[in-house]
Amino acid sequence: MKEFLDVFKKTLDFKSRSRRKEYWMFILWTTIISVVLSIIEIIAGLEIAPDIGLLSTIFTLVILIPSISVTVRRLHDIGRTGWWLLLSFIPILGWIALFVFTLLDSESGSNKYGSNPKEFEHDFKPVNN
């Protein structure tokens, strides 16, 4: 849940890098919350139109910009520009390419988008004596 909340803290950060863990934990929590909201909508009858729920629509609007920013940061982590996100407008092939990009490991060391967050996290873990 920490990674999910961290994405919201970095909503307007389109310049740095995000690890796979941060990206996929955000996707996982988004999916879980969406399913729960859909169940609540079905039970409570909160549909605006057929197959369009009130709570799901509000949630989608809330996560729209954080979703874009975490995906751009994920692309930066593999050394690609955020403009690659435009692949999402190409049905099937674009979606597959973007999916593969999000699965790739971080570019080692620093790149033009900053230092590797994975290496940074490991450098500062406390040592238990």
Side-chain angles (χ1 to χ4, degrees):
M1 187 65 147
K2 176 190 178 304
E3 287 83 5
F4 181 76
L5 297 174
D6 285 346
V7 169
F8 281 96
K9 291 177 189 172
K10 299 185 235 174
T11 294
L12 299 177
D13 178 9
F14 290 88
K15 296 183 185 209
S16 62
R17 297 168 65 167
S18 286
R19 294 181 57 192
R20 273 186 301 196
K21 180 180 178 183
E22 180 180 21
Y23 177 81
W24 285 109
M25 290 303 288
F26 177 77
I27 297 298
L28 174 67
W29 281 106
T30 299
T31 303
I32 291 169
I33 292 169
S34 294
V35 168
V36 169
L37 290 176
S38 295
I39 292 169
I40 292 170
E41 289 167 345
I42 291 168
I43 292 171
L46 296 172
E47 291 184 330
I48 300 170
D51 297 327
I52 300 174
L54 177 65
L55 300 176
S56 296
T57 302
I58 292 170
F59 181 67
T60 300
L61 292 173
V62 167
I63 66 163
L64 180 63
I65 294 177
S67 297
I68 293 169
S69 70
V70 75
T71 306
V72 167
R73 289 193 312 272
R74 181 71 201 116
L75 289 168
H76 287 173
D77 193 43
I78 62 168
R80 301 201 181 271
T81 178
W83 289 105
W84 281 93
L85 183 59
L86 294 175
L87 284 174
S88 62
F89 292 111
I90 302 171
I92 313 295
L93 294 176
W95 302 335
I96 292 169
L98 200 55
F99 176 70
V100 170
F101 285 163
T102 61
L103 293 174
L104 295 175
D105 195 12
S106 301
E107 192 174 80
S108 61
S110 294
N111 66 16
K112 65 182 180 179
Y113 304 105
S115 59
N116 187 339
K118 186 188 296 186
E119 292 171 0
F120 180 73
E121 182 179 289
H122 292 296
D123 289 343
F124 292 102
K125 285 197 174 184
V127 178
N128 295 330
N129 291 330

